[in-house]
Amino acid sequence: AAANVAEVDIAAMELPRKPAQVAEALLEQAGLRPVLVEEGSPTVLPGFVIAVEPADAAPEGSRVTVRVSTGRSARIPIDA
């Protein structure tokens, strides 16, 4: 039965640097289950997607980790 599961093309959605809510909605519409994880990033604006895992494709119904920027977060050690 696993062979009948559709692969969802995640790469085509171009999720990195989109707003997290947009990425979440796109993934849910595609039949995936997004799991949002907050992460500090010096380059990505807060509330925007840093990366998704897997980045290429995933079978319908599977979990996709969405790494969401919190901006320059104090939780991330920065080498002084």
Side-chain angles (χ1 to χ4, degrees), residues 6-24:
E7 283 274 312
V8 178
D9 187 349
I10 296 171
M13 296 182 195
E14 297 181 336
L15 299 177
R17 296 183 185 274
K18 277 192 164 72
Q21 298 97 316
V22 172
E24 190 175 20

Side-chain angles (χ1 to χ4, degrees), residues 15-20 39-51 67-73:
L15 299 177
R17 296 183 185 274
K18 277 192 164 72
E39 198 172 287
S41 170
T43 54
V44 181
L45 289 171
F48 285 76
V49 176
I50 301 170
R67 300 195 178 279
V68 181
S69 176
T70 55
R72 291 183 181 272
S73 172

Side-chain angles (χ1 to χ4, degrees), residues 19-65:
Q21 298 97 316
V22 172
E24 190 175 20
L26 286 169
L27 290 166
E28 284 173 351
Q29 283 166 17
L32 296 169
R33 293 185 296 153
V35 179
L36 274 57
V37 178
E38 292 193 330
E39 198 172 287
S41 170
T43 54
V44 181
L45 289 171
F48 285 76
V49 176
I50 301 170
V52 287
E53 292 157 18
D56 48 0
E60 234 177 82
S62 63
R63 283 205 176 112
V64 178
T65 301

